[in-house]
């Protein structure tokens, strides 16, 4: 598989259908993928038409991402898709059945995404929860115990892959200690290097084989004043060399206010640090154009990682989704009994 060089971006789009200008921009930029939000989601037929138009614009089967964790971070809701408890609440409900139950949950989610032309989901979230974890993040976690987070995270990866959907591990190298919302502020983590290494960073090491991952917009003071991990060459090297992550490394949304400077400045800084692709979720077309002018195409090594990720795409296993939902319900009831 060899594509023309990928633009080093994953872009959102403005609405329910592509404008002529958007279509022309995407055709020229050839972004690695696209991401959908509430503004892009109306009916099943409309979503399928939009995902088809996005891929037609670039001329290949580009991955289309969404945030479908369940709970508060769930772009698709009934009647477009199943509604879910926040992950941490569902883990608690499932109790000793949490691994099997969460694998089923995300296998069902994968099926619902694929039916709409969406084949990449920004999950699992491997951040280890603490009592002080900011509320924007805490109930999205899978637990406060490292072993539990790793086991459930692996089940979530398996559920996605069984359904033909790319999982995206996040937020590398660990967001669980954050006491600020990085959409609005830059969290600073003052934990020791030992604590981070034993808990937060350790949650990601078993997932070095996953095709895609997302950075955290956090400062880790134990490693010096390197700035947010997303724009820190030292932290990206740690993700690659210490955590061993070899997949496509995308930024968290470059529009988030944890980062400073203009959006093109943020994108350029992230690329210099060693990220493979810039995630740009929100912003007008002129901002996307300005960002693309700064970041250009993926460097050669990033292109290799991107090609490898795409070749890892799996076809969905043939299952009866009604049966899977019934199995999940039994696991929930068994725990309640």
């Amino acid at each position: 598989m060899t594509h023309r060089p990928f633009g080093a971006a994953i872009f959102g789009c403005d609405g329910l259908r592509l404008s002529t200008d958007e279509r022309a921009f995407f055709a020229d930029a050839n972004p690695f993928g696209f991401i959908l939000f509430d503004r892009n989601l109306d009916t099943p037929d409309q979503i399928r038409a939009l995902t088809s138009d996005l891929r037609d614009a670039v001329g290949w089967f580009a991955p289309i991402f969404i945030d479908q964790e369940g709970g508060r971070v769930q772009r698709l809701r009934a009647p477009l898709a199943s509604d879910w408890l926040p992950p941490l609440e569902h883990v608690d409900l499932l109790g000793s059945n949490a691994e099997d139950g969460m694998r089923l949950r995300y296998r069902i989610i994968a099926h619902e995404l694929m039916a709409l032309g969406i084949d990449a989901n920004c999950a699992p979230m491997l951040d280890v929860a603490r009592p002080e974890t900011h509320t924007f993040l805490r109930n999205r976690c899978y637990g406060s115990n490292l072993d539990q987070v790793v086991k459930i995270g692996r089940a979530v990866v398996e559920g996605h892959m069984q359904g033909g959907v790319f999982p995206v591990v996040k937020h590398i190298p660990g967001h669980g200690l954050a006491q600020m919302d990085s959409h609005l502020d830059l969290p600073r983590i003052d934990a020791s290097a030992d604590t981070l290494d034993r808990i937060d960073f350790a949650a990601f090491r078993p997932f070095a084989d996953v095709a895609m991952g997302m950075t955290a917009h956090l400062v880790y003071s134990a490693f010096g004043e390197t700035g947010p991990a997303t724009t820190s060459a030292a932290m990206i090297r740690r993700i690659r060399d210490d955590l061993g992550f070899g997949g496509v490394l995308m930024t968290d949304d470059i529009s988030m206010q944890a980062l400073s400077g203009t959006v093109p400045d943020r994108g350029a800084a992230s690329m210099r640090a060693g990220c493979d692709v810039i995630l740009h979720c929100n912003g007008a077309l002129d901002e996307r154009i300005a960002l693309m002018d700064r970041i250009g195409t993926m460097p050669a090594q990033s292109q290799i990682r991107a090609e490898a990720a795409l070749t890892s795409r799996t076809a969905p296993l043939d299952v009866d989704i009604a049966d899977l939902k019934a199995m999940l319900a039994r696991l929930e009831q068994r725990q309640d009994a």
Side-chain angles (χ1 to χ4, degrees), residues 258-307:
L259 304 181
S260 59
T262 66
V263 163
D265 288 344
R266 298 171 188 180
S270 302
M271 295 298 293
R272 286 195 301 271
C275 292
D276 294 312
V277 63
I278 307 303
L279 178 61
H280 182 271
C281 297
N282 303 291
L285 180 58
D286 60 353
E287 186 175 82
R288 285 176 249 159
I289 293 170
L291 173 62
M292 202 68 233
D293 286 344
R294 287 292 297 278
I295 62 176
T297 56
M298 284 185 175
Q301 188 58 47
S302 297
Q303 178 84 15
I304 291 169
R305 283 192 281 263
E307 295 268 6

Side-chain angles (χ1 to χ4, degrees), residues 134 136 175 178-187 256-258:
H134 194 282
F136 101 93
H175 211 305
Q179 298 181 47
M180 294 180 177
D181 182 348
S182 56
H183 292 84
L184 306 174
D185 300 288
L186 175 59
M256 291 162 63
Q257 296 310 303

Side-chain angles (χ1 to χ4, degrees), residues 100-148:
D100 290 340
M102 294 296 275
R103 185 182 295 105
L104 286 167
R105 167 182 167 132
Y106 286 94
R107 176 64 184 90
I108 295 164
I109 287 173
H111 173 82
E112 294 176 340
L113 296 182
M114 287 287 281
L116 298 171
I118 301 164
D119 65 342
N121 191 20
C122 297
M125 205 181 79
L126 302 174
D127 305 317
V128 180
R130 311 295 211 285
E132 66 271 25
T133 300
H134 194 282
T135 53
F136 101 93
L137 190 83
R138 195 174 196 284
N139 71 355
R140 299 164 57 193
C141 298
Y142 304 150
S144 55
N145 173 279
L146 172 63
D147 184 61
Q148 176 174 304

Side-chain angles (χ1 to χ4, degrees), residues 150-165:
V150 169
K151 287 179 178 178
I152 294 174
R154 180 53 64 179
V156 172
V157 166
E158 291 168 355
H160 280 102
M161 296 186 70
Q162 289 168 6
V165 168

